[in-house]
Amino acid sequence: MPAWLTVVGMGDDGFAGLGKAARRALIDASVIYGGERHLSMLPACLNAVREPWPQPFDIAPVLARRNTPVCVLASGDPMFYGVGATLARQVPADELRVLPAPSSVSLAAARLGWALQDVPTVSLVGRPLAALQTHLHEDARVFVLSADGTTPAAVAAWLGERGFGATRMIVMEHLGSEAERAIDARAHEWSIGETAALNLIALECRRAAPDAPRLPLTPGLPDNAFRHDGQLTKRDVRALTLGRLAPAPGELLWDVGAGCGSIGIEWMRSHASCRAIAIEANGERQGFIEHNRDALGVPGLQLIAGKAPAALQDLPAPDAIFIGGGVTVEGVLDTCWRALKSGGRLVANAVTLEGEAALIAWRAQHGGTLTRIALAEAQPLGGFETWRSGLPVTLLDTRKP
């Protein structure tokens, strides 16, 4: 059927900056939805009814007008962190037309001479500052979509707390309009409490402190990167375990008996679209997980407070499961195996004889591989050094047919 819904991307230059097709769509529309700012930019001569978005935001009023000519106004490119993407999930492609304008990020890249494909974008609209963490690296460039005029000051303070106070911040207000302005300063020198609400931040990351923690995206972060009580899959074993779990973009992990959340956190750090659910019964360790997920840049890690297997009911089916604690608890392995998607990976670690026996028995029924991991570190012995061995870890790695 012909497209009844047109999403028009509008810059800060308003109606005057729209192309012919976008103007025609607005002239022909029976109703126009948008934010108060966008609606106020329309000329009085348009005959369409103007409807501001309901609060809280809801696209149901738009969907209810199917088969009538409707326009929706959005900022810049509606498919880039915009309402166009939301509508496209609900409206068939042949019923939807999107007419984008340059996004604020495109305009910022043009002003700065930055290659757009080389610079990641992080949205802080409805998201915590922790979403920036995985992008903090020396010489990295990042675009940040601000929630409001207080975001630049919050970002500056947050960067300073993490040893990146020397980062250059270019805050661009009202991109594409006559009121466009850029404010250029180092994060540790930022003194403006509130900028224009419509702003974008461009970051050129610099370490202020040589001892600022270095957090690579490869598996095996230092143990001291996590807050924990000793219930932690240690660095080298963690790297081996994540290698067996083999995270891929978009996949979901269950981290059962999550401890401080290290496996689920590093799974999510491997790719922005990876998801994880941490299941942990201990209240203190739940607090560790909440701290660590923000400190290490994966605030989307879901925490389930409870004990497996009961806490596993009604969770979405995972692509991979790690069992770091509880392999001897009746029903944990069976429940995880039933929930795992076909072709999914189940990896479990054990350090006790009883845990190892449970994994051996499981392997006899379901197959897979068993690996013994024994590591030693050089430590002082009087005036000399010797090898101190850690507890050996038995690792089960199996795939579901």
Side-chain angles (χ1 to χ4, degrees):
M1 67 177 293
W4 57 272
L5 176 59
T6 302
V7 185
V8 174
M10 181 181 285
D12 215 35
D13 50 359
F15 189 80
L18 296 179
K20 182 178 179 180
R23 292 188 183 197
R24 184 76 259 169
L26 291 167
I27 291 169
D28 293 341
S30 60
V31 60
I32 301 170
Y33 287 89
E36 296 282 5
R37 183 175 67 88
H38 288 133
L39 293 174
S40 68
M41 295 179 177
L42 298 178
C45 62
L46 295 181
N47 294 323
V49 176
R50 305 176 194 203
E51 293 282 358
W53 288 116
Q55 299 297 326
F57 176 79
D58 190 358
I59 63 170
V62 173
L63 301 180
R65 292 182 179 269
R66 189 169 185 262
N67 297 327
T68 60
V70 176
C71 269
V72 167
L73 293 176
S75 294
D77 186 343
M79 304 303 290
F80 185 69
Y81 289 99
V83 70
T86 304
L87 289 165
R89 289 191 285 268
Q90 302 292 328
V91 179
D94 61 347
E95 300 181 25
L96 175 67
R97 182 172 58 149
V98 179
L99 303 174
S103 68
S104 59
V105 169
S106 293
L107 293 173
R111 303 291 188 271
L112 296 170
W114 292 3
L116 188 55
Q117 72 273 10
D118 295 335
V119 185
T121 300
V122 178
S123 174
L124 295 183
V125 180
R127 297 173 176 85
L129 288 167
L132 274 171
Q133 180 66 60
T134 54
H135 299 281
L136 285 190
H137 304 284
E138 184 70 16
D139 296 327
R141 288 173 169 174
V142 187
F143 286 128
V144 181
L145 304 180
S146 291
D148 54 35
T150 66
T151 302
V155 168
W158 186 86
L159 288 168
E161 291 167 2
R162 281 152 183 79
F164 279 82
T167 293
R168 181 188 180 200
M169 294 177 52
I170 307 103
V171 177
M172 302 181 182
E173 302 175 328
H174 295 291
L175 277 161
S177 77
E178 293 182 357
E180 182 176 320
R181 180 177 75 142
I183 309 167
D184 193 335
R186 299 289 176 180
H188 59 71
E189 298 170 344
W190 192 262
S191 60
I192 301 173
E194 187 167 355
T195 64
L198 195 65
N199 74 83
L200 176 144
I201 309 169
L203 301 178
E204 286 188 319
C205 296
R206 295 286 185 277
R207 290 174 183 267
D211 59 348
R214 184 175 180 275
L215 300 173
L217 298 178
T218 51
L221 290 176
D223 293 344
N224 62 11
F226 300 91
R227 184 177 292 178
H228 63 91
D229 61 357
Q231 288 297 109
L232 167 77
T233 302
K234 299 296 175 59
R235 181 179 194 171
D236 297 306
V237 175
R238 192 182 332 121
L240 291 167
T241 300
L242 284 157
R244 299 297 184 93
L245 287 166
E251 289 191 324
L252 172 66
L253 171 78
W254 285 4
D255 185 359
V256 180
C260 70
S262 62
I263 293 291
I265 288 169
E266 292 220 46
W267 168 280
M268 290 184 66
R269 283 174 60 86
S270 70
H271 193 274
S273 66
C274 283
R275 299 165 294 136
I277 301 174
I279 299 95
E280 177 54 53
N282 182 282
E284 182 181 18
R285 292 171 191 158
Q286 292 163 15
F288 293 152
I289 293 171
E290 291 173 339
H291 167 83
N292 291 332
R293 67 184 177 187
D294 285 349
L296 296 170
V298 289
L301 174 69
Q302 183 181 353
L303 173 60
I304 299 295
K307 186 174 182 179
L312 306 177
Q313 304 303 316
D314 301 322
L315 297 182
D319 300 282
I321 298 175
F322 173 65
I323 307 175
V327 295
T328 60
V329 176
E330 184 177 356
V332 169
L333 279 164
D334 288 335
T335 301
C336 288
W337 189 250
R338 285 194 300 270
L340 187 64
K341 291 180 181 178
S342 178
R345 292 89 65 200
L346 187 149
V347 176
N349 290 354
V351 295
T352 66
L353 292 175
E354 292 80 5
E356 183 178 87
L359 297 185
I360 292 171
W362 177 262
R363 177 173 175 260
Q365 285 186 297
H366 301 280
T369 61
L370 283 173
T371 303
R372 170 68 66 87
I373 304 170
L375 298 169
E377 290 186 358
Q379 294 184 4
L381 179 63
F384 301 91
E385 287 190 313
T386 189
W387 293 109
R388 298 286 186 186
S389 297
L391 292 173
V393 176
T394 300
L395 182 150
L396 170 71
D397 176 7
T398 185
R399 300 295 189 268
K400 188 173 182 178

